[in-house]
Amino acid sequence: MSDEPAMMPLTSTTVSPEVARIARSLLPAFYDQLKHIAQRARARVGAGSTIQTTALVHEAYLRLRDSREFSDETHFLRAAALAMRHALINHAQARLADKRGGGSLHLTLSHAVDLSIDTDEGMLALHAALERLAVEMPRLADVVECRFFGGYGEEDTARALGISLRTVQRDWLKARAWLYRELTRA
Amino acid sequence: MSELSPEQRARVYALIDELLDLPESSRAQRLGALVDDPAVRAEVESLLEATRAATGFLSTPARPAVQIYDAGVAAGTRVGAWSIGRRIGRGGMGEVYEATRTEGGFEQRVAIKLLQVEAGSQSERFLAERQILARLEHPGIARLHDGGLTEDGRPFMAMEFVEGRPITVYCEQTRASLHQRLQLFLQVCEAVAYAHRNLVIHRDLKPSNILVTRDGQVKLLDFGIAKLIDAERAQLTVSAAAPMTPVCASPEQLTGKPVTTATDVYALGVLLFELLTGVHPWFGTDAPVLQALRTVLTKPAPLASRVAAERSGAPVPDRLIRGDLDAIVAKALREEPTHRYATVDALKLDIIRVFRGEAVEAREGARLYFFGRTLRRYRWAVAATFAVFVSLAGGLGVAAWQARRAAIERDIARRDAAREEAVRYDLTRMFRTAIADQGSQPATAKSMIDNSALRVLREYRDRPQLGGQLVLTLADLYGALEDVAGAGALLDGFVSQAGPDADPLALADARTKLANIELLRGHPERAGPLLDQAETYWKQFPQQYAEERLEGLGIRARLQRLSGDINGAIATNQNAIAARIALSGRNHRETAVLYNSLAITLTAANRLDEALAAYRDTVGIYREIGLGDGLDAQIIQGNMGTLELRTGHLQDAERLLKTAIDGERSLAGDSAAVAAAMGYYGKVLLIENRIPAALAALREAVALGTRYAGDKSPVTVQNAVFLGEAQIAAHDEPGARATLVAAHEAALAQYGTSHPLTLRTALALAQLAAAGKRSSDAQTQLSSVITGLRALGAPAAAYLAQALETQGDVELSGGRAQSALTALKEAVDLRESAHNRTWETAVARERLGEAEAALGRADAGTLLRTAERDLQGQLGPDHPQTIRASRALARLQP
């Protein structure tokens, strides 16, 4: 088990270099914190993690705000969502690699009905689908990144992406529809 | 989806937007009206359908998936030929069960280690351990009996079942004597040596992995992270896994450097220390992991005998440890792996020598002892580490840290493998990356502390009670990083924003620390008021705060010395000594430190004999407390050397200084102290006219001073002056000029025109001019130097004499014997009042004699003869000064 998160390239094409830089600096910390959370939750049988990723993002925000790592809050929000997404994906991949003893991964969903994104396979399938969505409708993918992976509310998402609240709401609807359809198609 | 063109797709989404605004019933109709492209329509319908189906989809934000706790293997399950019994433990990689087998008519009991279900890539490590164990067969190592795969494909190992206690626990519970402890230790060494012979490094030697059975047999366990030495390439494999136990990890393991057999030697050193004293070298067994990491990397281990002496209920009397065992432990715990015992066998042999009363290897050569630094400097309340830990754990309100602290302590002390591992993992990795990964990671130790500091100041502005302790311990953390600026900023902030509700104790403590920092920052004038304020508080409870008051006194004495109030400094020092003796007794390290300060101050006041006496007091105390060969003692010897130099005992000076340099270097490497000693050493060589050696030493001294104390520090400037003098003696005028001009500018910038150091650089430049026969330049420079030195009074007497001698020389060679006489008379007076029979006095007399001779005075002859005799005795017959005296005498006799 490697110590470092597998350094996936930050593939979002819609971010500026500044955002990418911030995201890259956030990623390792998020990754480690996720592991920490996951390990801590291990001991309790049947318990899912009660800590949501939003808490991690907020903590990072407070921390970075003090050190003036970024001048624009918008950049931070955008970057954090991106980084959190990749941290979650890395986490899921690492766990799957563990389970399979390092074999190759199959990104199929065995149960079309029970779409539990809480599983590692589900997370990765979602991630792959999102990449495909990003090719077609990048803004929709960005909204998903903020709302689902970053756990942002509608206002924060609007701020992060520089769009109106209404656009966020609409995009969220459309994106979820698209993804749902994509993931339930065999 | 890929069948649609971008235009079509855009249309689809625009349509969806519009349709979503409509009630559902109207949508189909509207769609029909708007669109005739069948592809577009199909897509819109499909997506609209999906929006309905996906109402709850992704509604809760992402969470990291977690693993349900594995309930373990049930008793009775068969694993290979074995039947699982009770669970013995849960380790980093899996679980350990007791298991039995009744094949062949007898029952065999083993410990079965099962790789955990989710181990994944850890299976490699598990299999590696199995492979390693398979090749080891030794009574001191738990044997591998069997291995294989369980029915559901999990790898397992069946090992010798060891029923015993950890070696430290065993010794404590059986009240083992020193002899018994050492015998057990030898067993451990033998097992480890055997492993090394079979090319295996254990890497995780710690008491819990070293059990002792009922009949006193040592068994090593858990080669979980052992590594095979790659014999084919004769290379040592680099540590890839974080050490499981940072507390016992060696410096190279913690910093990710290559791991060798010396790593196991280090762990054995830690073990031996614990067997001798009952505690871990740096702290008790419940210490927080973060503290462990920092201290292992920055502090040398304390003397085992000292720790034993200071602990009530220590298992072994300290006098039995003092000396040889101290040395052995220290040699095993050297930070640099190559300075430790080369092999475990060597360590073993030294222990055996202790039994036999023979000389031990560890004490040969350059007396490799360590000693503990004052606890004061590293007085880390447990709180300190938690302040940092809290900010790392992230998101926890600092307000809750006190409650957390107890929990964290318990967490770490408890044998909860999952949590321990998470903590160890986090912190070890973080430190390793912080060290190895300069800059790209935001989380260096310093930045972590910086962030904590900022947060504390900000959040606790309104809650000064809680903030105080955090601030102090953060300041100590800065201190450990030697970050004066960081500590200063933090303490400044705290002191300046402290209102009437601030914790007065913390405030007084902070002021004292800040006073010290102001001295270091070069603002002695700010230190005084701070000390006064702190003293006001300490005075209220003199018994309770005796220690703190003493600390303040020590700082005040330094303050006075730095401000030039020498007599005040001496008085304060003497007060401090009296107070310290009253508090802790004479034979105490702090007393010695104060005597040393006194000696330095007396030296500055030119009271040289008293200074030497104070040094002897210091050394005497150090010897009494067993630190006669430690670093402090070496530095003091260096100081004594400089004193001997000034009192003209050149050979003593040379010997003491050389010893000090070698001793300091072997104990702690290069440093500012070495630079200072080296400078004086070079000066001695210069006086003895051993010019090439002097040049070499002084060049090194300047380089060291620049590196470790800064290019404008007193050490460096003084060394540069000496170097310049040596270059003058070597007739290297360009070299001397370069050196001295630079030194002069540095001194001027840092200290101003009237500081003794600046004047000394100016004096050296004047000597350069004199040597180059530029008399008028020399005269001008000399007169301003002399004026400046006169203004400084008694402390500058020696330099004034030197200046006057130079002036006399210049006047003599210019034929102005009368002015020469005046200057040289004063020089002789100055020299004689300092010390009658040094070579310096003799030189002054010689010059005076020459001046008298030039004026035809009758007593010239007597003077010159005395001078010649003294010079011959002090410097030898071939020394240029002696020769000059002889020549002058010869000119007298017609």
Side-chain angles (χ1 to χ4, degrees):
Chain A
M1 176 74 232
S2 70
D3 292 344
E4 268 73 55
M7 273 306 156
M8 287 179 68
L10 299 177
T11 53
S12 173
T13 50
T14 58
V15 294
S16 65
E18 163 78 0
V19 169
R21 180 189 69 78
I22 300 174
R24 228 173 270 122
S25 77
L26 289 172
L27 178 53
F30 281 168
Y31 180 75
D32 290 326
Q33 284 162 329
L34 289 180
K35 276 193 71 133
H36 193 69
I37 292 167
Q39 281 173 330
R40 259 195 281 142
R42 212 176 166 162
R44 283 168 291 156
V45 180
S49 164
T50 52
I51 297 181
Q52 306 211 333
T53 56
T54 36
L56 297 182
V57 172
H58 285 159
E59 202 267 337
Y61 176 69
L62 285 174
R63 197 166 17 95
L64 285 183
R65 193 176 57 182
D66 292 340
S67 60
R68 287 188 287 278
E69 276 275 302
F70 57 90
S71 50
D72 189 340
E73 196 177 87
T74 318
H75 285 169
F76 171 80
L77 284 173
R78 186 75 193 82
L82 180 59
M84 185 58 71
R85 171 176 168 194
H86 282 278
L88 283 162
I89 299 309
N90 290 347
H91 181 74
Q93 283 202 318
R95 287 164 43 79
L96 276 182
D98 258 1
K99 279 189 210 145
R100 305 224 160 101
S104 61
L105 297 168
H106 300 288
L107 297 177
T108 53
L109 277 184
S110 41
H111 309 288
V113 178
D114 175 24
L115 269 186
S116 170
I117 302 294
D118 271 357
T119 65
D120 299 317
E121 288 88 340
M123 185 78 77
L124 290 171
L126 176 64
H127 170 70
L130 201 56
E131 306 247 83
R132 294 195 286 276
L133 176 59
V135 171
E136 304 209 348
M137 301 291 298
R139 205 183 61 217
L140 297 194
D142 288 347
V143 169
V144 174
E145 202 164 81
C146 288
R147 293 225 56 202
F148 179 66
F149 287 100
Y152 300 170
E154 291 172 345
E155 290 89 352
D156 276 342
T157 307
R159 266 216 325 274
L161 300 176
I163 54 183
S164 74
L165 199 60
R166 182 161 155 72
T167 314
V168 168
Q169 289 161 341
R170 269 297 144 78
D171 281 355
W172 183 228
L173 253 180
K174 292 184 277 193
R176 284 187 301 128
W178 191 96
L179 286 169
Y180 184 85
R181 192 181 65 175
E182 186 74 7
L183 287 172
T184 50
R185 278 215 271 245
Chain B
M1 207 50 196
S2 47
E3 316 92 46
L4 289 181
S5 71
E7 297 83 17
Q8 284 173 308
R9 224 179 292 136
R11 253 210 100 204
V12 164
Y13 283 95
L15 280 166
I16 289 179
D17 271 335
E18 197 182 322
L19 291 174
L20 282 175
D21 282 338
L22 294 178
E24 232 184 281
S25 43
S26 340
R27 283 178 193 169
Q29 191 186 31
R30 187 95 177 110
L31 181 60
L34 286 173
V35 178
D36 39 334
D37 183 342
V40 169
R41 182 165 38 204
E43 183 64 9
V44 170
E45 279 170 349
S46 163
L47 277 174
L48 279 178
E49 170 66 35
T51 56
R52 247 198 314 280
T55 27
F57 187 51
L58 301 186
S59 54
T60 31
R63 293 188 302 224
V66 295
Q67 175 57 35
I68 305 301
Y69 177 70
D70 186 346
V73 174
T77 316
R78 290 201 64 81
V79 169
W82 311 89
S83 174
I84 295 287
R86 66 186 170 98
R87 185 165 70 204
I88 306 172
R90 202 177 349 127
M93 272 196 296
E95 302 164 322
V96 185
Y97 294 87
E98 188 182 340
T100 50
R101 165 164 90 169
T102 36
E103 287 190 10
F106 63 95
E107 183 170 283
Q108 200 178 359
R109 192 161 65 139
V110 294
I112 292 211
K113 195 156 161 181
L114 272 172
L115 187 62
Q116 71 204 21
V117 175
E118 286 263 302
S121 54
Q122 296 205 355
S123 60
E124 238 181 65
R125 210 200 285 175
F126 191 86
L127 295 172
E129 178 183 1
R130 211 164 71 182
Q131 195 183 11
I132 286 168
L133 278 183
R135 57 160 72 188
L136 296 176
E137 197 177 312
H138 188 274
I141 298 177
R143 280 217 54 209
L144 176 73
H145 285 305
D146 195 3
L149 290 177
T150 64
E151 270 162 10
D152 35 324
R154 290 165 73 178
F156 76 90
M157 279 191 268
M159 305 185 302
E160 178 184 344
F161 186 87
V162 176
E163 195 148 24
R165 291 167 275 183
I167 184 171
T168 42
V169 171
Y170 178 89
C171 287
E172 195 186 310
Q173 290 179 349
T174 58
R175 298 189 201 282
S177 69
L178 173 63
H179 189 89
Q180 289 164 325
R181 286 163 191 262
L182 289 180
Q183 290 285 19
L184 286 171
F185 184 71
L186 281 178
Q187 280 193 50
V188 177
C189 289
E190 266 155 37
V192 176
Y194 169 84
H196 289 180
R197 280 199 295 282
N198 285 278
L199 308 179
V200 176
I201 314 173
H202 188 287
R203 297 200 309 172
D204 196 21
L205 288 170
K206 54 184 172 173
S208 56
N209 278 341
I210 303 172
L211 301 188
V212 181
T213 65
R214 195 151 301 217
D215 25 314
Q217 167 71 41
V218 161
K219 295 275 184 189
L220 291 192
L221 300 181
D222 207 339
F223 280 71
I225 60 163
K227 219 42 177 160
L228 277 180
I229 304 171
D230 192 331
E232 283 171 4
R233 283 178 291 179
Q235 253 179 335
L236 298 167
T237 51
V238 173
S239 157
M244 298 307 239
T245 320
V247 164
C248 293
S250 59
E252 64 270 17
Q253 277 176 303
L254 289 175
T255 53
K257 294 204 189 97
V259 156
T260 67
T261 52
T263 307
D264 279 348
V265 170
Y266 186 92
L268 286 172
V270 174
L271 174 64
L272 182 56
F273 190 104
E274 234 182 296
L275 288 175
L276 293 175
T277 63
V279 290
H280 186 279
W282 286 277
F283 38 73
T285 46
D286 289 329
V289 179
L290 177 57
Q291 187 172 0
L293 298 177
R294 279 238 56 85
T295 50
V296 168
L297 287 174
T298 57
K299 276 173 70 177
L303 264 186
S305 59
R306 262 205 91 201
V307 172
E310 287 167 3
R311 273 193 81 219
S312 61
V316 175
D318 64 300
R319 61 186 165 74
L320 293 181
I321 305 175
R322 213 183 304 162
D324 289 346
L325 283 172
D326 266 342
I328 292 175
V329 169
K331 188 169 163 109
L333 289 178
R334 287 306 306 276
E335 176 160 341
E336 176 58 50
T338 51
H339 292 174
R340 302 172 199 156
Y341 287 97
T343 61
V344 173
D345 277 321
L347 168 58
K348 201 181 88 175
L349 281 171
D350 251 6
I351 300 276
I352 293 175
R353 287 189 190 108
V354 168
F355 280 139
R356 298 203 197 127
E358 291 168 9
V360 297
E361 176 192 326
R363 294 187 83 167
E364 278 167 32
R367 288 155 273 139
L368 301 171
Y369 283 116
F370 285 108
F371 62 96
R373 290 241 156 258
T374 345
L375 276 178
R376 184 170 16 120
R377 175 147 198 244
Y378 293 95
R379 185 172 47 206
W380 296 27
V382 167
T385 56
F386 295 134
V388 181
F389 181 79
V390 157
S391 74
L392 296 177
L396 294 175
V398 185
W401 76 271
Q402 274 177 335
R404 245 335 254 167
R405 161 178 152 186
I408 291 173
E409 265 190 278
R410 250 186 295 118
D411 282 354
I412 292 177
R414 252 195 324 175
R415 303 203 169 278
D416 185 327
R419 236 194 270 249
E420 252 184 32
E421 186 184 299
V423 166
R424 273 194 229 122
Y425 175 88
D426 281 348
L427 298 177
T428 312
R429 177 204 49 77
M430 189 190 52
F431 263 81
R432 274 205 313 160
T433 52
I435 290 165
D437 205 44
Q438 317 279 352
S440 57
Q441 277 275 15
T444 60
K446 176 170 161 60
S447 71
M448 289 187 305
I449 301 172
D450 281 345
N451 288 336
S452 306
L454 281 172
R455 185 180 290 184
V456 166
L457 279 180
R458 210 167 28 90
E459 292 185 6
Y460 283 85
R461 212 183 343 252
D462 306 318
R463 281 178 288 184
Q465 290 292 339
L466 287 174
Q469 278 309 311
L470 268 178
V471 166
L472 290 174
T473 46
L474 279 171
D476 278 344
L477 274 173
Y478 275 121
L481 287 183
E482 309 211 4
D483 182 353
V484 174
L490 173 63
L491 290 167
D492 271 334
F494 178 66
V495 168
S496 59
Q497 80 184 25
D501 296 323
D503 173 7
L505 173 58
L507 199 50
D509 217 333
R511 286 195 170 115
T512 310
K513 285 190 205 299
L514 192 53
N516 191 30
I517 285 174
E518 295 292 10
L519 286 185
L520 291 172
R521 291 203 278 209
H523 296 295
E525 71 284 358
R526 292 190 204 155
L530 286 164
L531 286 174
D532 291 335
Q533 283 169 311
E535 171 73 6
T536 317
Y537 182 72
W538 305 136
K539 259 200 314 222
Q540 294 174 31
F541 310 99
Q543 302 292 11
Q544 194 178 353
Y545 298 128
E547 192 66 57
E548 284 80 357
R549 292 189 77 195
L550 263 175
E551 185 176 352
L553 267 183
I555 299 174
R556 190 181 293 279
R558 270 172 54 221
L559 162 61
Q560 286 168 310
R561 191 173 79 225
L562 286 171
S563 315
D565 177 10
I566 302 295
N567 291 328
I570 292 173
T572 308
N573 245 318
Q574 285 166 333
N575 282 344
I577 288 173
R580 173 54 72 183
I581 292 178
L583 185 64
S584 324
R586 187 183 156 82
N587 285 339
H588 190 282
R589 192 163 175 277
E590 292 298 321
T591 318
V593 167
L594 286 170
Y595 270 117
N596 185 52
S597 284
L598 178 61
I600 293 173
T601 318
L602 284 168
T603 310
N606 224 23
R607 288 152 67 167
L608 303 180
D609 293 314
E610 290 174 75
L612 265 173
Y615 277 131
R616 289 198 191 102
D617 280 325
T618 315
V619 174
I621 295 175
Y622 272 118
R623 291 214 174 105
E624 273 306 306
I625 60 178
L627 294 179
D629 293 317
L631 187 61
D632 278 1
Q634 301 293 359
I635 292 176
I636 291 164
Q637 289 199 69
N639 291 344
M640 287 173 79
T642 68
L643 215 48
E644 299 285 19
L645 167 59
R646 289 184 57 180
T647 53
H649 303 127
L650 293 171
Q651 280 169 340
D652 286 334
E654 187 185 333
R655 180 181 48 84
L656 282 165
L657 286 165
K658 186 101 189 27
T659 315
I661 291 168
D662 289 339
E664 284 167 31
R665 270 182 155 159
S666 76
L667 284 174
D670 284 336
S671 64
V674 173
M678 183 80 77
Y680 283 114
Y681 180 67
K683 175 76 174 175
V684 172
L685 293 172
L686 174 59
I687 294 167
E688 293 174 337
N689 205 41
R690 289 152 65 184
I691 308 290
L695 282 169
L698 289 167
R699 286 205 176 98
E700 192 177 356
V702 170
L704 286 173
T706 312
R707 176 136 182 239
Y708 290 99
D711 60 332
K712 295 193 177 54
S713 69
V715 169
T716 313
V717 171
Q718 174 167 278
N719 288 351
V721 167
F722 292 158
L723 178 58
E725 289 173 351
Q727 284 166 318
I728 293 174
H731 306 297
D732 175 12
E733 198 178 311
R737 178 180 313 285
T739 307
L740 292 170
V741 166
H744 184 66
E745 279 168 6
L748 208 53
Q750 186 75 353
Y751 305 108
T753 41
S754 45
H755 193 279
L757 269 176
T758 317
L759 290 168
R760 284 171 67 193
T761 56
L763 174 56
L765 279 166
Q767 283 168 323
L768 178 60
K773 304 274 184 262
R774 296 187 303 279
S775 313
S776 53
D777 281 344
Q779 275 168 337
T780 328
Q781 292 172 24
L782 276 169
S783 55
S784 77
V785 166
I786 287 171
T787 316
L789 285 171
R790 268 197 225 283
L792 293 174
Y799 306 122
L800 180 56
Q802 197 181 347
L804 288 164
E805 282 149 22
T806 314
Q807 192 176 57
D809 242 342
V810 172
E811 299 298 285
L812 267 177
S813 39
R816 294 177 293 281
Q818 187 58 52
S819 349
L821 193 74
T822 324
L824 290 166
K825 261 216 168 107
E826 192 184 346
V828 170
D829 283 337
L830 285 168
R831 293 290 189 196
E832 283 179 347
S833 63
H835 220 280
N836 218 344
R837 317 250 356 169
T838 65
W839 63 273
E840 285 168 328
T841 318
V843 167
R845 286 197 189 118
E846 193 277 334
R847 299 286 188 278
L848 182 58
E850 281 188 34
E852 304 238 337
L855 290 169
R857 298 277 182 86
D859 39 344
T862 329
L863 259 176
L864 284 170
R865 250 190 302 277
T866 321
E868 191 206 19
R869 188 194 59 215
D870 287 339
L871 285 169
Q872 197 163 60
Q874 302 258 345
L875 300 174
D878 303 317
H879 197 282
Q881 299 285 4
T882 318
I883 292 172
R884 180 167 167 166
S886 309
R887 287 213 185 107
L889 256 179
R891 279 199 299 275
L892 262 190
Q893 273 107 12

